[in-house]
Amino acid sequence: MQTQVVFGRMALVLCLAPMSLSSWASEHEHHHHEHHHDFESHQAHVHGAGLLTLVQDQQLLQLSLEVDTHSLWGFEHAPTNADEQQRVAQALSNLEAGHRLFSLSPDAQCQPDGVSVERPLGLDEPSAQDHMDLQVQWQWRCASPAALTQVTVRLFDQFPELSQLTVQRLTPTGSGGGQLDRQHVTLDW
């Protein structure tokens, strides 16, 4: 419960700082507009791309992933056969055990503290054919949070259809972002 309250406060901070995030997104995507938009409005539907958000509040760290299901299991509809059902089950299992998909600064001494996978709407409805997104949150508790200055992402190895992540970061040392891909898998701050 305490973890949800802390991250709820951090989510509020993220919501209150859309100008800095949207400015970053605009600059990053080379759009130069006179007005600001919410960060998500800059995110077009692109298979193979996702959004990774890193939020640190004292000893707590949360990584959140938003991605289309095509990037995880190769299609965006409810599974229609045994092979597709197996691909979905394997991907969900990998995400639920997903703390191993990330390497954090060793000196920070971070331990897994929870995971939440929000399954796409319609995933269990055979007639569902619409675009499907999935959201995952991984939490850690760090004994030496000031030493947390890096995360290496192994999602690309696990999910071959995933090729790019836009990263947003909010930590006690500041905010920032960047792009990760198969050749660039480490975020430093």
Side-chain angles (χ1 to χ4, degrees):
M1 181 68 162
Q2 182 180 3
T3 301
Q4 290 176 336
V5 171
V6 171
F7 285 119
R9 279 191 243 136
M10 290 306 290
L12 178 61
V13 170
L14 278 175
C15 289
L16 294 176
M19 289 184 66
S20 64
L21 290 176
S22 65
S23 296
W24 170 82
S26 295
E27 181 179 315
H28 184 74
E29 293 184 19
H30 307 291
H31 294 289
H32 301 286
H33 299 289
E34 292 295 321
H35 55 281
H36 296 283
H37 297 285
D38 182 81
F39 181 82
E40 289 186 74
S41 68
H42 291 280
Q43 301 299 307
H45 175 78
V46 178
H47 290 174
L51 174 64
L52 185 68
T53 304
L54 181 148
V55 178
Q56 180 186 3
D57 186 16
Q58 298 176 16
Q59 293 182 309
L60 301 175
L61 172 70
Q62 177 170 302
L63 284 171
S64 301
L65 174 67
E66 295 179 36
V67 66
D68 65 280
T69 61
H70 186 276
S71 299
L72 300 175
W73 51 71
F75 54 90
E76 291 187 283
H77 56 77
T80 58
N81 58 48
D83 178 58
E84 288 182 350
Q85 289 172 345
Q86 175 60 31
R87 288 163 59 186
V88 169
Q90 185 65 49
L92 291 173
S93 176
N94 289 339
L95 293 168
E96 289 166 353
H99 288 91
R100 63 182 167 70
L101 297 172
F102 304 93
S103 292
L104 307 175
S105 305
D107 291 342
Q109 301 174 30
C110 300
Q111 298 299 316
D113 193 42
V115 63
S116 171
V117 177
E118 295 178 32
R119 296 167 56 104
L121 294 174
L123 185 61
D124 299 319
E125 299 171 21
S127 63
Q129 296 293 319
D130 293 334
H131 170 77
M132 291 186 178
D133 287 325
L134 182 124
Q135 295 183 354
V136 186
Q137 293 85 34
W138 297 274
Q139 295 87 28
W140 288 264
R141 189 167 298 275
C142 303
S144 300
L148 184 60
T149 60
Q150 181 182 79
V151 62
T152 299
V153 177
R154 294 192 180 96
L155 289 163
F156 302 109
D157 295 334
Q158 194 66 47
F159 301 103
E161 298 288 332
L162 184 63
S163 59
Q164 175 180 312
L165 290 171
T166 299
V167 181
Q168 299 177 124
R169 176 187 56 82
L170 181 61
T171 65
T173 60
S175 63
Q179 290 288 123
L180 297 177
D181 58 35
R182 294 187 174 284
Q183 289 74 42
H184 305 95
V185 297
T186 301
L187 179 69
D188 296 295
W189 62 93

